[in-house]
Amino acid sequence: MIALDGIRKLHLDPVQPPVFDGISLRIAEGETCGLCGPGASGKSLLLKIICGLVRPEHGTVEVAGRDLGLASPDELRSIQSRIGYLFQNNALFDSMTVQENVAFPLRQRLRLGQEALDEQQILARVSESLRGVGLATHAAKMPSQLSGGQRKRVALARAVVARPPLLIYDEPTAGLDPVTTAKIYDLLGTEQKLTKSTTLIVSSDIDALRRFSDRMLMVYRGRLCYDGPSADMDESASPVVRQFVRGELEGPL
Amino acid sequence: MKSQRALTSWAASLRTQATQLGQIAMLVCVGAVRARRPKGELLRQLYQVGNRSLLFVLVTLGFTGMVLVFQSCLQLSRVTGDLSQVGGEFIKYLVHEFGPSLTAMMLATRVGAGIAAEIGSMVVTEQVDALRMCGVEPVEYLLVPRFLATLAMTLLLAVFGVLSAVMMGAFTAHQTFHVPYSVFLDLSKVKLPDVLTGCIKALSYGAAIPIVSGFCGLRTHGGSEGVGWATTRAVVSSSFAVIVLDFLISALALLSWQSM
Amino acid sequence: MTRALLTLGMVVLSLCREVGGMALLGFYTFVNLLRGRFDAKELVRNLYKMGVVSVPIVSLTALFTGGTMVIQSGIFVQRFQAYGLLGWGTGYAVLREVGPILIGLMFSGRVGANNAADLGSMVVTEQVDGLRALAIEPIPYLIVPRVLAMMLAMFCLLVLGDAVAIGGGMLFGKLLLGVDYASFYASFVDAIKLWDVTVGLLKGTFFALMIALTSCHYGLSVKGGAVGVGQSVNDAVVAAALLIMVSDDIWTMVLR
Ligand SMILES: Nc1ncnc2c1ncn2[C@@H]1O[C@H](COP(=O)(O)OP(=O)(O)OP(=O)(O)O)[C@@H](O)[C@H]1O
Ligand SMILES: [Mg+2]
């Protein structure tokens, strides 16, 4: 589903070392993958590169068998509309109500001819999605009237509403209490079982992430320093990974 | 050596910016013709651009009309004392030059800054990226309705501006220099080329302002400070675009008049 | 009916708040300035930031303005075959009216908007409160140097802009209308009095005061993140443009 080869991306600030210096990785169809790393290591940037929102200076990005560097603008758009993306800062549209926000991807897919739904069905899908995140009663509100956690859940509903084959979550549980976190992961799990979609999750809550996904990736200093089963992270050969997983003060980090 | 390198990199960044601006202009024009946008959005933008700027344009153009008439009457009463021509010349001048240009200068600050601020804050809160992820081309989705609305409204507001300036000018001439309204409101000097030049100017400004400020807004990066910077750049660049276009179109009009 | 009255009342109230806020800011600035309480280092820094950086845009604006004014006077000049008046027409228009207004509008966009954005993001990131916590008063430290710097910078930019505009007028007069430099210059020197130049410069400096007060006021009253900063910058340039146009009228009526 996703294939990265030799990705190199320079930092915005030219005096800093490159954010990525040779990252290669493959994620198969239907796989669930967690991505972690220290702050500002480029987790969000890597997700954006995978989606074609940011272009790397070197290397190739393939999604669903298409090289994003070679795709025409129209092709890129149609690939992107098949990815559900939860942004780290939610990126809800300020000028639309919660309901319109969640309906937006469906309406656009309808316009692109990727979906054949009528208005009734769209509304049904939207309220189903909103019910899933427990916000069915907030459909008519504006995003600015919601709390941070509620906004995150609306963004989640918007990401999954079109049932895309590839789902990307950037910090789905940041700033949420433990019970809501558990609920969100439960929701991600049912979504994943239902649609068999490929899922890539970034989270700082590494324990919950390891419980949820079988495979873990870790970026550090521009490289992938871990790529393997979640269970083996504690016994990794790399001291960086061990320290990160155990949350110790002493170590190379 | 060092200055040479700085110059080269400056030229390179200028070229990429010009290319981007050109791409955006292309996308907007193609999008405007393809007409694949939600209906309500255009109306909303028309209202936004028109309603929020109407009073502003009326007031500023009205005061400018007063100043212009006052100055010309003052100068003329010192030289010849014959004020019967002032009204006609003033209206002619207003139609082909001052009306559209000043209206556009005002809209560059009002509308240009608004477009850049709105789009800029959508960029820094990743809403533009979210649009892309829904398979929407942000330039087309965000800029085309604003482009069409500004295009139409610049022309319309220029007409209102001219009317306001004429009214205030006639009032000034009547009050301070006792020029009768019937003498002042002399439309015989306004010829077809004047009206044409005025319309061409208004339409070019109306096209340039949203494209330039949308370009500035889409290039925003870096938090709330970035939005402020983008807004600033939009005001300066779109005002400057108006000044340059004014010069170019005036020169073209002058030259084509001469040859006729 | 009541709703219309309510809206009207709100508009009037907010107008009073903005105008009053600006007047108060101007008053405090003046008082602090008289007592000599302002940060001189900040003044120099702002003078550089506002003045030097605006030179290219002001020169370009002036060049094209001179050109446009020549074209406009040229239409009359050609009709009456009065080529000797070109320097006078262009010079008078540029020095007294169009120059200060257009340079003022550009200055408002370049420097005023920037200033509002700068102060606004300081407010949003709570830096202004930080200053207060360090026992640094915001007005002498932040506002007075900016107001002073804007007025000084505008004065110098106007002198430069006037020169460039007249030069541009000569150039385009020659290129487009075939009026040679000598006769343009002669009619310019003949008809333009020092008074005209002075009025233009005074007016422009006053515009700079208006720009400074609006941008500082709107910058300091930013609320609510990135959207708020953009909105304030927008309001600041609009208010400055309005004040420039309205006060230009008063200047013209008073200083004949
Ligand atoms: N488009 C870009 N091009 C180059 N560098 C970028 C770009 N966007 C962000 N960066 C830089 O990349 C670095 C990593 O940013 P990123 O937001 O990906 O970190 P992160 O790992 O998601 O951090 P956090 O855990 O805080 O979310 C930052 O230093 C940032 O300045
Ligand atoms: Mg991140």
Side-chain angles (χ1 to χ4, degrees):
Chain A
M1 189 73 182
I2 300 173
L4 302 184
D5 260 310
I7 297 294
R8 189 179 152 85
K9 176 79 197 164
L10 298 179
H11 203 279
L12 284 177
D13 181 357
V15 297
Q16 302 257 1
V19 188
F20 299 124
D21 195 4
I23 286 198
S24 302
L25 115 99
R26 290 212 165 3
I27 298 176
E29 196 139 358
E31 201 171 359
T32 301
C33 233
L35 173 63
C36 61
S41 55
K43 304 179 292 287
S44 304
L45 191 57
L46 191 62
L47 297 186
K48 286 189 181 169
I49 287 177
I50 290 175
C51 298
L53 291 171
V54 174
R55 295 216 159 171
E57 275 88 30
H58 292 283
T60 54
V61 186
E62 253 179 53
V63 175
R66 290 287 317 167
D67 189 332
L68 296 187
L70 304 176
S72 72
D74 276 329
E75 270 177 319
L76 185 62
R77 222 170 293 148
S78 90
I79 295 171
Q80 284 174 335
S81 69
R82 290 201 185 86
I83 303 177
Y85 196 126
L86 170 64
F87 286 86
Q88 186 168 7
N89 300 311
N90 307 330
L92 294 177
F93 302 119
D94 294 325
S95 55
M96 304 181 192
T97 64
V98 166
Q99 184 176 38
E100 284 164 347
N101 260 291
V102 180
F104 192 80
L106 287 177
R107 297 229 162 92
Q108 295 311 316
R109 285 172 66 105
L110 183 67
R111 196 179 54 94
L112 289 174
Q114 296 175 351
E115 198 108 32
L117 294 169
D118 58 23
E119 189 60 28
Q120 218 65 46
Q121 285 167 310
I122 288 180
L123 289 182
R125 284 274 283 276
V126 169
S127 55
E128 181 193 341
S129 242
L130 280 175
R131 216 172 317 119
V133 294
L135 290 173
T137 52
H138 296 64
K141 288 194 179 156
M142 298 306 274
S144 56
Q145 295 170 295
L146 301 179
S147 76
Q150 287 173 326
R151 266 179 246 167
K152 182 123 266 171
R153 285 187 274 159
V154 175
L156 186 67
R158 187 179 68 182
V160 301
V161 70
R163 303 200 180 120
L166 173 58
L167 278 166
I168 291 182
Y169 304 112
D170 197 349
E171 304 276 7
T173 60
L176 299 183
D177 61 86
V179 179
T180 320
T181 304
K183 269 190 205 153
I184 294 267
Y185 273 113
D186 189 44
L187 205 73
L188 298 190
T190 41
E191 194 64 36
Q192 219 270 334
K193 284 207 192 69
L194 192 74
T195 57
K196 301 274 179 298
S197 47
T198 316
T199 311
L200 181 57
I201 307 174
V202 166
S203 179
S204 326
D205 185 357
I206 190 151
D207 294 326
L209 189 58
R210 282 172 71 195
R211 253 177 275 130
F212 185 72
S213 56
D214 325 312
R215 181 177 165 197
M216 286 292 289
L217 308 165
M218 178 168 163
V219 277
Y220 177 63
R221 296 224 173 127
R223 296 183 169 277
L224 268 188
C225 65
Y226 186 84
D227 180 357
S230 330
D232 300 349
M233 259 190 131
D234 297 291
E235 275 71 49
S236 160
S238 157
V240 177
V241 177
R242 283 202 308 270
Q243 189 203 349
F244 189 75
V245 175
R246 294 179 190 152
E248 288 161 349
L249 282 176
E250 305 287 320
L253 270 175
Chain B
M1 238 353 258
K2 203 174 157 195
S3 64
Q4 195 186 351
R5 204 173 321 136
L7 205 67
T8 333
S9 80
W10 183 74
S13 94
L14 202 68
R15 228 182 62 194
T16 47
Q17 285 193 29
T19 324
Q20 277 179 17
L21 187 61
Q23 276 171 353
I24 289 181
M26 281 280 287
L27 274 173
V28 167
C29 293
V30 171
V33 176
R34 270 205 290 189
R36 221 179 35 174
R37 64 200 151 264
K39 284 280 177 316
E41 180 67 8
L42 181 61
L43 276 180
R44 207 176 67 86
Q45 289 298 334
L46 277 171
Y47 177 79
Q48 284 269 324
V49 175
N51 185 54
R52 280 168 59 199
S53 319
L54 180 60
L55 191 65
F56 182 48
V57 167
L58 287 182
V59 171
T60 46
L61 267 279
F63 273 99
T64 317
M66 281 171 78
V67 173
L68 280 177
V69 168
F70 187 81
Q71 283 279 17
S72 342
C73 287
L74 201 65
Q75 294 300 318
L76 270 181
S77 64
R78 277 183 193 154
V79 185
T80 60
D82 173 22
L83 296 183
S84 60
Q85 302 285 306
V86 169
E89 292 291 347
F90 169 69
I91 294 174
K92 179 187 173 78
Y93 187 47
L94 213 53
V95 167
H96 76 78
E97 160 67 21
F98 243 107
S101 302
L102 257 186
T103 307
M105 282 301 277
M106 295 300 119
L107 289 184
T109 56
R110 188 88 180 104
V111 178
I115 291 177
E118 232 174 335
I119 295 184
S121 50
M122 288 187 75
V123 170
V124 299
T125 55
E126 295 181 319
Q127 288 178 54
V128 171
D129 281 343
L131 281 178
R132 287 208 179 92
M133 294 313 296
C134 295
V136 174
E137 171 56 51
V139 173
E140 198 180 306
Y141 183 81
L142 295 173
L143 223 46
V144 169
R146 290 172 170 78
F147 170 80
L148 291 173
T150 315
L151 196 64
M153 278 302 163
T154 311
L155 193 57
L156 196 65
L157 287 171
V159 172
F160 277 108
V162 168
L163 288 180
S164 160
V166 168
M167 260 153 47
M168 294 299 277
F171 177 73
T172 313
H174 182 77
Q175 289 298 315
T176 34
F177 297 93
H178 311 291
V179 181
Y181 287 118
S182 56
V183 174
F184 189 90
L185 297 175
D186 166 19
L187 293 181
S188 64
K189 291 236 164 55
V190 183
K191 300 273 159 44
L192 186 66
D194 298 315
V195 180
L196 231 70
T197 315
C199 287
I200 292 175
K201 278 185 182 172
L203 289 177
S204 335
Y205 304 147
I209 291 170
I211 289 179
V212 170
S213 4
F215 167 70
C216 295
L218 285 171
R219 280 169 54 83
T220 309
H221 49 82
S224 59
E225 212 171 325
V227 179
W229 277 102
T231 315
T232 307
R233 234 187 345 254
V235 175
V236 174
S237 314
S238 46
S239 312
F240 187 62
V242 170
I243 290 176
V244 173
L245 280 173
D246 184 17
F247 173 73
L248 290 179
I249 300 174
S250 299
L252 277 181
L254 180 78
L255 292 179
S256 55
W257 253 32
Q258 262 175 347
S259 62
M260 268 195 314
Chain C
M1 183 62 202
T2 37
R3 261 191 64 198
L5 272 180
L6 204 67
T7 322
L8 187 71
M10 301 239 286
V11 167
V12 170
L13 269 184
S14 80
L15 203 66
C16 289
R17 196 170 52 232
E18 306 299 357
V19 173
M22 266 179 257
L24 212 59
L25 199 63
F27 175 72
Y28 283 140
T29 307
F30 189 63
V31 169
N32 277 298
L33 190 62
L34 279 190
R35 292 203 194 138
R37 293 208 314 164
F38 65 92
D39 196 304
K41 264 204 216 105
E42 273 289 295
L43 175 65
V44 175
R45 208 174 63 84
N46 276 307
L47 214 49
Y48 175 79
K49 211 174 73 177
M50 294 165 173
V52 178
V53 176
S54 322
V55 167
I57 189 73
V58 166
S59 319
L60 283 173
T61 305
L63 183 71
F64 285 106
T65 309
T68 311
M69 284 296 110
V70 159
I71 294 171
Q72 299 308 339
S73 341
I75 295 173
F76 291 91
V77 166
Q78 275 188 341
R79 200 162 349 132
F80 301 112
Q81 293 296 311
Y83 288 98
L85 288 179
L86 192 62
W88 171 71
T90 309
Y92 192 84
V94 165
L95 294 181
R96 274 193 79 141
E97 287 298 336
V98 186
I101 289 185
L102 281 188
I103 292 178
L105 287 176
M106 284 318 248
F107 189 78
S108 159
R110 179 75 185 79
V111 175
N114 215 330
N115 184 40
D118 197 26
L119 284 176
S121 45
M122 285 181 84
V123 171
V124 170
T125 54
E126 301 182 338
Q127 287 178 50
V128 176
D129 292 332
L131 282 180
R132 282 212 187 88
L134 290 172
I136 299 176
E137 272 184 67
I139 292 205
Y141 182 77
L142 283 180
I143 306 301
V144 183
R146 280 164 204 255
V147 175
L148 218 55
M150 278 197 219
M151 291 172 74
L152 282 173
M154 181 70 171
F155 186 85
C156 303
L157 288 170
L158 269 175
V159 173
L160 172 79
D162 283 351
V164 173
I166 300 300
M170 282 170 122
L171 180 69
F172 289 118
K174 171 97 177 162
L175 287 180
L176 294 170
L177 298 166
V179 176
D180 60 287
Y181 300 138
S183 69
F184 186 102
Y185 185 73
S187 73
F188 174 71
V189 175
D190 259 5
I192 303 297
K193 292 181 279 309
L194 189 60
W195 178 236
D196 296 325
V197 183
T198 320
V199 170
L201 290 179
L202 278 179
K203 206 152 83 166
T205 314
F206 182 76
F207 292 163
L209 176 65
M210 295 289 111
I211 295 168
L213 289 181
T214 47
S215 67
C216 288
H217 170 72
Y218 280 100
L220 286 180
S221 44
V222 167
K223 275 185 212 71
V227 182
V229 174
Q231 186 64 47
S232 273
V233 173
N234 197 343
D235 290 346
V237 282
V238 169
L242 206 59
L243 280 175
I244 287 176
M245 296 314 228
V246 174
S247 62
D248 180 54
D249 197 52
I250 299 167
W251 274 92
T252 309
M253 302 285 174
V254 174
L255 295 179
R256 300 196 164 191

Short mmCIF file of all heavy atoms in Angstrom, two decimals, chain A residues 102 106 115 117 120-130 160-163:
data_model
loop_
_atom_site.label_atom_id
_atom_site.label_comp_id
_atom_site.label_asym_id
_atom_site.label_seq_id
_atom_site.Cartn_x
_atom_site.Cartn_y
_atom_site.Cartn_z
N VAL A 102 -18.14 17.04 8.66
CA VAL A 102 -18.06 15.59 8.49
C VAL A 102 -18.59 15.19 7.12
O VAL A 102 -18.10 14.25 6.51
CB VAL A 102 -18.81 14.87 9.63
CG1 VAL A 102 -18.74 13.38 9.46
CG2 VAL A 102 -18.22 15.26 10.97
N LEU A 106 -17.45 13.33 1.96
CA LEU A 106 -18.44 12.58 1.17
C LEU A 106 -18.91 13.39 -0.01
O LEU A 106 -19.00 12.90 -1.14
CB LEU A 106 -19.63 12.20 2.06
CG LEU A 106 -19.39 11.11 3.09
CD1 LEU A 106 -20.65 10.91 3.91
CD2 LEU A 106 -19.02 9.81 2.38
N GLU A 115 -18.18 8.15 -5.52
CA GLU A 115 -19.18 7.65 -4.58
C GLU A 115 -20.54 7.98 -5.19
O GLU A 115 -20.70 9.03 -5.80
CB GLU A 115 -19.03 8.38 -3.25
CG GLU A 115 -19.67 7.70 -2.10
CD GLU A 115 -18.63 7.08 -1.18
OE1 GLU A 115 -17.53 7.63 -1.06
OE2 GLU A 115 -18.94 6.04 -0.60
N LEU A 117 -23.94 8.55 -3.81
CA LEU A 117 -24.84 8.67 -2.66
C LEU A 117 -25.80 9.81 -2.94
O LEU A 117 -25.46 10.75 -3.63
CB LEU A 117 -24.06 9.03 -1.40
CG LEU A 117 -23.06 8.02 -0.85
CD1 LEU A 117 -22.21 8.68 0.21
CD2 LEU A 117 -23.80 6.84 -0.27
N GLN A 120 -29.79 12.10 1.27
CA GLN A 120 -30.29 11.36 2.43
C GLN A 120 -29.23 10.42 2.98
O GLN A 120 -28.98 10.36 4.18
CB GLN A 120 -31.52 10.54 1.97
CG GLN A 120 -32.62 10.47 3.00
CD GLN A 120 -33.22 11.84 3.23
OE1 GLN A 120 -33.50 12.56 2.29
NE2 GLN A 120 -33.37 12.21 4.49
N GLN A 121 -28.58 9.70 2.06
CA GLN A 121 -27.58 8.73 2.48
C GLN A 121 -26.38 9.42 3.11
O GLN A 121 -25.80 8.93 4.08
CB GLN A 121 -27.13 7.89 1.29
CG GLN A 121 -28.16 6.86 0.88
CD GLN A 121 -27.83 6.27 -0.47
OE1 GLN A 121 -27.58 7.00 -1.43
NE2 GLN A 121 -27.82 4.95 -0.56
N ILE A 122 -26.01 10.57 2.53
CA ILE A 122 -24.89 11.31 3.11
C ILE A 122 -25.20 11.68 4.56
O ILE A 122 -24.40 11.43 5.46
CB ILE A 122 -24.59 12.59 2.29
CG1 ILE A 122 -23.95 12.22 0.95
CG2 ILE A 122 -23.68 13.53 3.05
CD1 ILE A 122 -23.62 13.39 0.08
N LEU A 123 -26.40 12.23 4.78
CA LEU A 123 -26.76 12.64 6.13
C LEU A 123 -26.78 11.44 7.07
O LEU A 123 -26.36 11.54 8.22
CB LEU A 123 -28.11 13.34 6.13
CG LEU A 123 -28.08 14.73 5.48
CD1 LEU A 123 -29.45 15.38 5.55
CD2 LEU A 123 -27.03 15.60 6.12
N ALA A 124 -27.26 10.29 6.57
CA ALA A 124 -27.28 9.10 7.40
C ALA A 124 -25.87 8.68 7.79
O ALA A 124 -25.59 8.38 8.96
CB ALA A 124 -27.98 7.97 6.64
N ARG A 125 -24.96 8.69 6.80
CA ARG A 125 -23.57 8.32 7.09
C ARG A 125 -22.95 9.27 8.09
O ARG A 125 -22.22 8.87 9.00
CB ARG A 125 -22.74 8.36 5.80
CG ARG A 125 -22.95 7.20 4.87
CD ARG A 125 -22.06 6.02 5.23
NE ARG A 125 -20.67 6.22 4.81
CZ ARG A 125 -20.24 5.96 3.60
NH1 ARG A 125 -21.05 5.49 2.68
NH2 ARG A 125 -18.98 6.15 3.29
N VAL A 126 -23.25 10.58 7.94
CA VAL A 126 -22.67 11.57 8.83
C VAL A 126 -23.14 11.35 10.25
O VAL A 126 -22.35 11.34 11.20
CB VAL A 126 -23.02 13.00 8.35
CG1 VAL A 126 -22.67 14.02 9.40
CG2 VAL A 126 -22.31 13.31 7.05
N SER A 127 -24.45 11.13 10.41
CA SER A 127 -24.93 11.00 11.79
C SER A 127 -24.47 9.68 12.39
O SER A 127 -24.20 9.61 13.59
CB SER A 127 -26.45 11.17 11.87
OG SER A 127 -27.05 10.27 11.00
N GLU A 128 -24.30 8.68 11.55
CA GLU A 128 -23.74 7.42 12.05
C GLU A 128 -22.32 7.64 12.58
O GLU A 128 -21.96 7.21 13.67
CB GLU A 128 -23.74 6.40 10.91
CG GLU A 128 -23.21 5.04 11.25
CD GLU A 128 -22.96 4.23 9.98
OE1 GLU A 128 -23.52 4.59 8.92
OE2 GLU A 128 -22.20 3.28 10.05
N SER A 129 -21.53 8.37 11.78
CA SER A 129 -20.16 8.67 12.16
C SER A 129 -20.09 9.48 13.44
O SER A 129 -19.29 9.21 14.33
CB SER A 129 -19.50 9.47 11.05
OG SER A 129 -18.45 8.80 10.51
N LEU A 130 -20.97 10.48 13.52
CA LEU A 130 -20.97 11.34 14.71
C LEU A 130 -21.41 10.55 15.93
O LEU A 130 -20.91 10.77 17.03
CB LEU A 130 -21.88 12.54 14.49
CG LEU A 130 -21.26 13.67 13.67
CD1 LEU A 130 -22.27 14.77 13.41
CD2 LEU A 130 -20.04 14.24 14.37
N VAL A 160 -12.80 9.28 9.01
CA VAL A 160 -13.23 7.90 8.72
C VAL A 160 -14.54 7.84 7.94
O VAL A 160 -14.92 6.78 7.47
CB VAL A 160 -13.37 7.05 10.00
CG1 VAL A 160 -12.06 6.99 10.73
CG2 VAL A 160 -14.47 7.59 10.89
N VAL A 161 -15.25 8.96 7.79
CA VAL A 161 -16.62 8.90 7.29
C VAL A 161 -16.71 8.31 5.88
O VAL A 161 -17.66 7.60 5.55
CB VAL A 161 -17.29 10.28 7.37
CG1 VAL A 161 -16.69 11.24 6.36
CG2 VAL A 161 -18.78 10.18 7.15
N ALA A 162 -15.68 8.55 5.07
CA ALA A 162 -15.76 8.05 3.70
C ALA A 162 -15.25 6.62 3.57
O ALA A 162 -15.17 6.10 2.46
CB ALA A 162 -14.97 8.97 2.76
N ARG A 163 -14.90 6.00 4.69
CA ARG A 163 -14.35 4.63 4.72
C ARG A 163 -13.22 4.45 3.71
O ARG A 163 -13.27 3.60 2.83
CB ARG A 163 -15.44 3.61 4.42
CG ARG A 163 -16.57 3.75 5.42
CD ARG A 163 -17.41 2.51 5.50
NE ARG A 163 -18.45 2.75 6.46
CZ ARG A 163 -19.76 2.69 6.17
NH1 ARG A 163 -20.17 2.39 4.98
NH2 ARG A 163 -20.64 2.94 7.11
#
